[in-house]
Amino acid sequence: MSAVLTAPHAPARPIEAAASLPRTIEFARVALVIGLVFLHYFNLPGDHRPPFLGIDPDGPRIATFINGFLTFFFFSAVPLLSAVSGWLFFGGGDNAGQGTGRKMRGRARSLLLPLLLWNLATLALAILVQRVAPTIGFAQQFNLQSATAGAWDYVNAVLGITDVPIAFQFWFVRDLFVTVLCAPLIWLALRHAPIAGAVVLAAVWAAGFTLGIFIRTDVLFFFYLGALARRREWDLRLSATVTLSLLVAYAALVALRTLAPLMVDMADPATIAWLDVATRLMRPLGVAACWGACLHLAATGWGGALARWGGFAFFLHAAHYPVIALVKEILSRLMPATGEGWLLAHYGASVALTIAITAAAGVVLFRLSPAFYGVLAGGRRLA
């Protein structure tokens, strides 16, 4: 994430697109992480069906459709952020491979250090809550239970060596750092076999192989595509017409995927397997559609205002969970359940309050210590 959030803004080609790219990237950082907050809301209260299965045929259909639709839609957020990171990392034309060691050391500070600090803080919170109030739902939201965890569980909780860390959203940062460590190999492929490299990584990604070192290969594949786009000097501008067409096509596919439980047998393992592949294959279209949307929305007045919060994106990504889990639990107790409308109100309020609380915390922390905020935010500052 921080490679997306901290790398310098290199000029783009053609020249007429250069002025809009930094603003678009800043807008995309914030907007896509807000999308991840929606995605990480997970299940609706009282509904134990994960939203990535799609609509619940036997439950509140409208609420579960909207929850599932937004979940599938924002599955493209991490791939797009990864592509932007690759595009930024390999700027410099034929000299892009020079200074790779320096860039890798920089990413160690902006990726690895905050990963360690946030995971240690989340681990401390989990242990505290599980010992003080082990029966509340919030205590069960962590992927580590201190009462039964072993030494290796704690290592994984902080470093994410073989499993997702306790601040699970940091799987992306973890995989991005591993991808950066592979940068010399990526540069060799870009120089000597760029298309073959893309084809091989596409096959690895589509098949769901982890290569033994990644949580998922989404970051690696789309990072490579972003680097390839920079190397080949692809024109990143998309017209409004093309963008609208991409968005309509992507939204239609996302809607079909969300409605799949109404049409297929979700108890059949073979059905789940091919649905997983189909869901994965939608993401390149989503990347193009979301990038086009960011290009045009960033040019608006409110888009420019949001882009000025680019220095908040990493902090929001790092802090929004488990904040949203706690907000969900509190709101569930304060707001009486009254059907679909309540579920949707709870959904929107949980996301809005999570963003507001995290933004307020970020602003206060930045005013108290810009340097410490920068460490936690991957080297970024608030405007």
Side-chain angles (χ1 to χ4, degrees):
M1 172 75 70
S2 186
V4 180
L5 303 178
T6 62
H9 295 137
R13 299 176 71 176
I15 294 175
E16 56 266 31
S20 66
L21 277 179
R23 180 165 167 169
T24 299
I25 291 172
E26 293 293 332
F27 176 88
R29 289 166 176 155
V30 185
L32 293 173
V33 174
I34 289 174
L36 290 178
V37 179
F38 276 97
L39 195 158
H40 293 156
Y41 174 89
F42 295 128
N43 298 19
L44 294 165
D47 174 43
H48 302 291
R49 181 187 182 86
F52 50 80
L53 291 179
I55 192 173
D56 185 356
D58 303 314
R61 292 192 175 189
I62 296 175
T64 56
F65 173 81
I66 292 174
N67 188 18
F69 181 92
L70 291 177
T71 296
F72 288 124
F73 189 92
F74 287 114
F75 272 174
S76 293
V78 163
L80 179 50
L81 289 169
S82 302
V84 172
S85 182
W87 188 88
L88 290 169
F89 190 91
F90 283 105
D94 288 336
N95 297 321
Q98 297 180 4
T100 298
R102 174 181 53 80
K103 293 178 184 178
M104 292 169 67
R105 289 191 295 274
R107 298 305 187 268
R109 292 190 299 272
S110 61
L111 292 172
L112 188 58
L113 180 57
L115 178 147
L116 293 173
L117 294 176
W118 281 104
N119 281 319
L120 283 170
T122 305
L123 178 60
L125 175 63
I127 294 172
L128 175 64
V129 173
Q130 288 166 11
R131 291 186 177 179
V132 173
T135 59
I136 66 173
F138 180 65
Q140 312 305 315
Q141 296 297 314
F142 303 93
N143 60 5
L144 178 142
Q145 295 298 310
S146 58
T148 57
W152 186 247
D153 296 315
Y154 286 100
V155 172
N156 261 329
V158 177
L159 297 174
I161 295 177
T162 61
D163 203 351
V164 293
I166 190 166
F168 74 91
Q169 66 270 32
F170 273 88
W171 78 265
F172 170 46
V173 176
R174 179 257 190 219
D175 272 9
L176 184 56
F177 181 68
V178 175
T179 299
V180 168
L181 293 180
C182 297
L185 296 177
I186 293 173
W187 176 242
L188 286 175
L190 289 170
R191 288 200 57 148
H192 302 292
I195 303 304
V199 170
V200 170
L201 290 180
V204 168
W205 165 74
F209 295 144
T210 65
L211 300 176
I213 58 173
F214 294 95
I215 302 297
R216 300 207 307 257
T217 48
D218 297 58
V219 177
L220 173 65
F221 173 54
F222 287 96
F223 182 96
Y224 185 90
L225 289 185
L228 181 62
R230 190 64 179 271
R231 173 80 174 160
R232 293 297 182 93
E233 299 182 345
W234 292 349
D235 189 348
L236 301 180
R237 297 170 302 173
L238 296 173
S239 69
T241 301
V242 170
T243 296
L244 182 60
S245 298
L246 290 170
L247 282 171
V248 168
Y250 183 53
L253 288 176
V254 169
L256 284 174
R257 174 60 188 87
T258 309
L259 293 169
L262 299 177
M263 299 173 280
V264 300
D265 180 9
M266 298 297 289
D268 180 12
T271 298
I272 296 296
W274 71 258
L275 276 178
D276 286 345
V277 174
T279 302
R280 191 176 297 120
L281 294 178
M282 291 192 309
R283 290 174 196 170
L285 176 62
V287 167
C290 290
W291 173 250
C294 289
L295 275 170
H296 293 283
L297 292 176
T300 66
W302 72 267
L306 187 64
R308 288 194 287 275
W309 282 82
F312 172 62
F314 189 100
F315 190 88
L316 176 60
H317 176 266
H320 76 273
Y321 201 95
V323 172
I324 194 169
L326 182 58
V327 169
K328 281 178 65 177
E329 182 161 344
I330 293 173
L331 287 182
S332 295
R333 300 186 181 193
L334 295 178
M335 299 171 61
T338 56
E340 298 262 16
W342 175 83
L343 289 173
L344 291 174
H346 186 280
Y347 187 17
S350 296
V351 172
L353 282 173
T354 297
I355 295 171
I357 291 169
T358 308
V363 170
V364 170
L365 181 60
F366 181 75
R367 289 180 176 177
L368 290 174
S369 176
F372 185 54
Y373 175 88
V375 171
L376 295 179
R380 297 284 293 182
R381 296 173 58 89
L382 289 177

